[in-house]
Amino acid sequence: MLSYSTQLIDEDDIKVVGEVLRSNFLAQGPRVAEFEQDLAKYTTAKYAVAFNSATSALRAAYSVAGIGEGDAVITSPISFVATSNMFVDLGAIPIWCDVKLDGNINEKQIEKLITPQTKAIVPIDFAGKPVEIERIKEIAKKHNLLLIQDASHALGSSVKGKKIGSFADMTIFSFHAIKPITTSEGGAVLTDNEDFAKALRLYRSHGMVKKELWNSDMVSMGYNLRMTEVAAALGSSQLKKIEQFIDTRNEIAAYYDARFQSEKLFLTQKIEADTRTSRHLYPIILNPELHCPKEDIFRELQERGLGVQVHYKPIYKNSFYKERFGNVSLSVANDFYNSEISIPCNQTMSMQDAEYVADTLLDVVYKYNYRGCSF
Ligand SMILES: *Cc1c(COP(=O)(O)O)cnc(C)c1O
């Protein structure tokens, strides 16, 4: 099965993990600090704070940003549920903004959703393609809102040569197994704000500060959301190879783009010339006449060895959210969900694999184009 995204672990990764297992430190220690420095250097942000997952990192970021009861947060429904979950758990209200056909938040619709209750804007870089971050930053500044970017897909993506991680007040990355690089499970918040960095470190570790000798003081509420030394060492080792990973994914994507250039049955994600994407995903957007047979298409692609997936069911369609916030329906997000399929595009694939994927996809899509609905 060729996966829509997967990890690539080599002997160097295995060696550094082995070294940590033979050392004295297993829980958070010098390797975590080193990985944080590597991340800050790579993204050009001042501070990096590592966590045991991006979900934990989101939770910490929202919390130290002061997001709480009754605050409204403008965000994208086309994301993994954690993006909204973690501020809803703090008592905040999701205000979902519709997306564009590239899966990213529609920056033109953000301003009309702003009210006196709005506290933050949380865009996500879908598939690794950066959102219109400069425009969204202007909006946040004009209305005095925090900008927290869920860049779980977008480590290594950049706009005009500037890396994602250096734009927003806080930027979150995920190092889950199948994300651009992996620590097995892990995440981080990047920020230029020293106060946020300090508060994030406290939140991550029981809100405790060391005093003299045995004495420590718990100064604020905190948890144990720490990254392990094993994970951090793997992260630093993986980060050395990120350019290679992204180049491979972009080569496969460029091949797909060329194959699908004049395709009439589906769209692909267009990437502007001044933009680099991590290509965490390669999404295709089926034409409306293929919405009906999408299940058949999906099933047959899987049967023929394509580990496809759909990203994402709009967050507001989940029963938890329906019960809490009623029925929400955004037309492009709904269409996007009916249309989207992420096809295999990862750094373990060869160009022969890519050719097989493109051939199979075209074969299947054309077959069902003439069948219509099966019910
Ligand atoms: C994967 C992902 C998360 C959660 O990351 P974890 O590290 O698994 O907690 C959050 N947001 C988005 C957009 C993601 O893709």
Side-chain angles (χ1 to χ4, degrees), residues 101-163:
L101 277 181
D102 63 1
N104 276 338
I105 195 165
N106 189 339
E107 66 283 350
K108 292 193 185 74
Q109 295 188 19
I110 292 176
E111 263 189 302
K112 67 173 191 219
L113 298 172
I114 296 172
T115 67
Q117 281 69 48
T118 309
K119 179 97 180 181
I121 306 175
V122 180
I124 90 129
D125 308 281
F126 181 76
K129 179 182 174 173
V131 288
E132 290 293 329
I133 191 65
E134 286 170 320
R135 178 69 196 115
I136 297 170
K137 205 171 163 172
E138 277 170 20
I139 297 168
K141 202 170 165 196
K142 182 175 154 195
H143 297 271
N144 200 21
L145 302 174
L146 281 156
L147 177 55
I148 300 174
Q149 189 171 11
D150 184 349
S152 290
H153 297 185
L155 184 67
S157 299
S158 61
V159 179
K160 296 180 188 135
K162 195 170 146 66
K163 288 253 165 57

Side-chain angles (χ1 to χ4, degrees), residues 102-104 126-127 129 257 267-271 277 279 281 283:
D102 63 1
N104 276 338
F126 181 76
K129 179 182 174 173
D257 285 349
L267 299 170
T268 58
Q269 200 186 37
K270 298 287 171 289
I271 309 296
T277 166
R279 285 286 185 194
L281 304 172

Side-chain angles (χ1 to χ4, degrees), residues 67-111:
I67 293 171
E69 210 60 50
D71 289 331
V73 177
I74 297 174
T75 189
S76 171
I78 299 297
S79 184
F80 185 60
V81 286
T83 312
S84 289
N85 286 353
M86 290 298 103
F87 64 73
V88 167
D89 198 36
L90 290 165
I93 297 151
I95 306 295
W96 288 292
C97 180
D98 210 351
V99 296
K100 302 177 291 185
L101 277 181
D102 63 1
N104 276 338
I105 195 165
N106 189 339
E107 66 283 350
K108 292 193 185 74
Q109 295 188 19
I110 292 176
E111 263 189 302

